[in-house]
Amino acid sequence: MQITLRNASKAYLQMVDNSYLGSSDEVTKLMERVEATFVKHFANGNHRKGMNTLRPKAKRERHTITFFLGTFFGCSIAFLVAIIVSIHARDVINSPGRHQYMDNIFPLYSFFGYIFLHLLMYAGNIYFWKRYRVNYSFIFGFKQGTELGYREVLFVSSALAVLTFGGVLSNLDMEMDPRTRNFEAITEIVPLALLVVVVLITFCPFNIIYRSSRFFLIRCVIHCIFAPLYKVTLPDFFLADQLTSQVQALRSLEFYVCYYGWGDFKRRSNMCRESDLFNIFYLVVAIIPYWFRFLQCVRRLFEEKHGMHFLNGLRYFSTIVAVSTRTIYELRTGQTLLIVAIASSVVATIANTYWDIVIDWGLLQRSSRNHWLRDKLIIPNKSVYFIAMVLNIILRLAWMQTVLGFRQAPFLPRTALIAVFASLEIIRRGIWNFFRLENEHLNNVGKYRAFKSVPLPFNYEKDDEDKSV
């Protein structure tokens, strides 16, 4: 219908109803036997549960989501304007304490900025997956009717933006008000209180705020942490790939522990960088996401005996070496460290870029019908794929800001510059997500992916999934 631009659905349905398949008693009895077999073996005899899986109801769009999305989005814009006005009123940019604020408070709030940007990119991914009919809910193993649409993800991200901007504004307001200026410790606790609220919502056991999606995320995180002990499925290694783009967010969590755990917030100054223990964990935290992926590759290598998993694990190991040398150079500097950091980063960048484009996206196939792309494409405009490849290469080179000494700029403090490059990596990951799942969707049957890494449609937990906000 989309190709011919003709509304032929009514005539097609009439033809189906009048056909042998639509009117045959044998076909009807066969369907009933299949349903009875499925209910017996995959639903423990629970007819209602089995039929909900075989014939799931269409997900209902809720107007309340759109309403609250607009409300939170408007509030976040209002808070952002108020923050800009407060900064201008206090002349924070030219204030002597601006460096103290950027070193202490900015890294605390930047954690929520990274999460917000990642959610924003994920919402965009869902929108375009739906637009181009990429079956992301099946690939991820979501139970139909419980998967989040782009409106729900935008709703969550806008609510997070309201909480974050509200915290920043209250922090600035308490700084400006002479009556509260002396309560330094209370002012500094605002970001910690915001983090506690987000953590409590994430682990909330009640059937509210997309419990099924939250628990699905928590379960995947647990599988990543104990990677060698669990069979690796696509949602697990897909989440681990997302974590590799959130290194700065993990380092922000480490800064939370240092800033509040060691009592630096009471003095409005931190000595974290001068601590050897902090610097060691500063390196370890950056390696952890890549270590998860390395262990997942090892597990799949032993299970599936496929050489590609060995090469993939080797790629992540090279990334671990590159991240380690870059971090050590950032902490200690030195000519030898610079050479090692550049060499290891060049190797890791080339390997990762090749794997992104050729293996994960399935592009750059010389013998394909679409030259230098692949035989099957979802997006009609082929230039989009070439633009995505160029952007991926450019954004992959963000590591140069570390090894080449671009750690500060005349118009941006060091912490702000780090946040900019971290945001570029999150944007790159968002672009990668779309084409990675597009390739998985087009090749889902090839190499038995539908059975080895993608969950089967009846592989769900018990019917405790929530369908409410």
Side-chain angles (χ1 to χ4, degrees):
M1 290 184 293
Q2 291 183 348
I3 297 175
T4 61
L5 299 179
R6 294 178 59 187
N7 187 10
S9 59
K10 185 176 181 180
Y12 174 75
L13 291 176
Q14 288 179 350
M15 181 181 68
V16 172
D17 291 337
N18 297 329
S19 66
Y20 177 77
L21 290 176
S23 58
S24 173
D25 292 336
E26 295 181 3
V27 174
T28 303
K29 291 180 180 179
L30 182 60
M31 291 174 59
E32 292 175 352
R33 289 175 57 188
V34 171
E35 291 172 354
T37 302
F38 182 88
V39 169
K40 179 181 178 181
H41 295 284
F42 298 104
N44 295 325
N46 189 328
H47 186 267
R48 180 181 178 183
K49 178 180 178 181
M51 295 309 295
N52 284 339
T53 303
L54 290 175
R55 299 180 181 180
K57 297 179 181 179
K59 186 178 180 181
R60 295 175 57 187
E61 296 291 340
R62 299 185 176 183
H63 298 294
T64 53
I65 297 297
T66 305
F67 172 78
F68 283 110
L69 169 60
T71 301
F72 287 145
F73 180 77
C75 291
S76 62
I77 295 298
F79 278 147
L80 182 60
V81 173
I83 290 171
I84 296 174
V85 172
S86 298
I87 291 175
H88 177 73
R90 194 180 176 217
D91 197 18
V92 174
I93 297 177
N94 298 319
S95 173
R98 67 183 184 277
H99 297 295
Q100 184 184 29
Y101 183 88
M102 293 302 297
D103 290 340
N104 299 333
I105 304 301
F106 184 82
L108 301 176
Y109 284 113
S110 62
F111 168 78
F112 304 103
Y114 300 141
I115 304 301
F116 168 76
L117 180 59
H118 213 127
L119 288 174
L120 206 61
M121 296 300 297
Y122 181 59
N125 289 147
I126 293 177
Y127 174 80
F128 285 106
W129 285 334
K130 283 190 173 182
R131 179 177 178 180
Y132 293 105
R133 300 183 182 277
V134 175
N135 195 359
Y136 73 96
S137 59
F138 170 76
I139 294 174
F140 285 137
F142 297 142
K143 184 175 181 180
Q144 187 169 346
T146 62
E147 74 276 8
L148 299 184
Y150 70 92
R151 287 188 180 88
E152 286 84 355
V153 178
L154 286 176
F155 164 73
V156 173
S157 61
S158 61
L160 179 62
V162 169
L163 289 175
T164 304
F165 289 151
V168 174
L169 183 61
S170 62
N171 195 288
L172 290 174
D173 182 64
M174 284 188 286
E175 290 287 338
M176 295 175 62
D177 192 340
R179 295 171 297 179
T180 59
R181 189 174 296 172
N182 294 328
F183 300 103
E184 296 182 355
I186 297 178
T187 303
E188 301 296 301
I189 288 178
V190 173
L192 179 62
L194 179 57
L195 180 63
V196 171
V197 170
V198 172
V199 171
L200 290 178
I201 292 175
T202 303
F203 290 92
C204 177
F206 301 111
N207 193 12
I208 56 174
I209 316 178
Y210 308 122
R211 183 179 67 175
S212 63
S213 298
R214 290 188 285 107
F215 282 14
F216 184 88
L217 175 64
I218 294 171
R219 184 166 60 251
C220 290
V221 170
I222 293 174
H223 290 180
C224 290
I225 295 174
F226 301 98
L229 305 180
Y230 289 94
K231 180 179 177 62
V232 182
T233 59
L234 188 142
D236 298 335
F237 68 72
F238 192 87
L239 176 63
D241 280 324
Q242 308 307 305
L243 294 177
T244 60
S245 297
Q246 286 287 1
V247 170
Q248 289 303 327
L250 297 177
R251 283 174 168 171
S252 295
L253 288 178
E254 181 196 4
F255 185 76
Y256 267 95
V257 175
C258 171
Y259 193 65
Y260 292 105
W262 296 350
D264 289 341
F265 71 99
K266 298 178 181 179
R267 303 185 300 271
R268 288 197 171 181
S269 62
N270 73 86
M271 308 296 290
C272 297
R273 286 285 182 173
E274 300 179 10
S275 170
D276 292 335
L277 181 62
F278 179 85
N279 291 332
I280 291 173
F281 277 97
Y282 189 79
L283 170 61
V284 172
V285 164
I287 294 175
I288 286 176
Y290 301 101
W291 181 249
F292 290 161
R293 284 298 286 123
F294 174 76
L295 292 180
Q296 288 175 342
C297 293
V298 172
R299 172 67 186 249
R300 296 189 70 182
L301 176 63
F302 278 97
E303 282 188 346
E304 303 176 21
K305 311 297 183 183
H306 199 293
M308 292 296 291
H309 300 311
F310 172 77
L311 296 177
N312 200 16
L314 189 62
R315 176 174 69 95
Y316 281 106
F317 184 79
S318 69
T319 307
I320 290 174
V321 174
V323 172
S324 301
T325 54
R326 291 204 303 263
T327 305
I328 295 173
Y329 169 73
E330 181 183 355
L331 296 174
R332 298 186 179 182
T333 68
Q335 191 65 29
T336 304
L337 285 174
L338 175 62
I339 296 173
V340 175
I342 292 178
S344 59
S345 297
V346 167
V347 173
T349 301
I350 294 174
N352 288 322
T353 303
Y354 174 84
W355 199 276
D356 285 345
I357 297 174
V358 178
I359 307 300
D360 289 339
W361 294 359
L363 303 177
L364 290 182
Q365 298 180 10
R366 296 179 59 183
S367 58
S368 67
R369 290 178 296 180
N370 304 297
H371 196 51
W372 291 112
L373 298 177
R374 62 171 114 85
D375 291 337
K376 296 180 181 180
L377 300 175
I378 285 182
I379 302 177
N381 191 350
K382 298 178 183 179
S383 62
V384 173
Y385 294 92
F386 292 103
I387 294 174
M389 286 190 284
V390 173
L391 284 176
N392 186 78
I393 294 172
I394 294 174
L395 295 176
R396 272 283 184 190
L397 298 178
W399 60 268
M400 293 178 64
Q401 61 88 17
T402 302
V403 297
L404 296 184
F406 300 149
R407 293 191 291 272
Q408 57 184 353
F411 54 91
L412 280 178
R414 178 181 178 276
T415 51
L417 195 62
I418 291 175
V420 169
F421 285 107
S423 300
L424 292 178
E425 169 58 21
I426 295 173
I427 293 173
R428 187 200 67 81
R429 180 60 63 182
I431 298 173
W432 179 90
N433 288 344
F434 175 82
F435 295 100
R436 174 66 181 87
L437 231 65
E438 178 207 20
N439 189 38
E440 187 70 32
H441 173 82
L442 293 175
N443 299 282
N444 193 37
V445 180
K447 298 182 180 179
Y448 304 101
R449 290 184 184 179
F451 299 95
K452 289 205 171 184
S453 61
V454 178
L456 293 173
F458 47 81
N459 187 24
Y460 302 120
E461 298 296 326
K462 294 182 179 180
D463 262 343
D464 58 353
E465 320 289 349
D466 71 286
K467 298 182 181 180
S468 60
V469 179

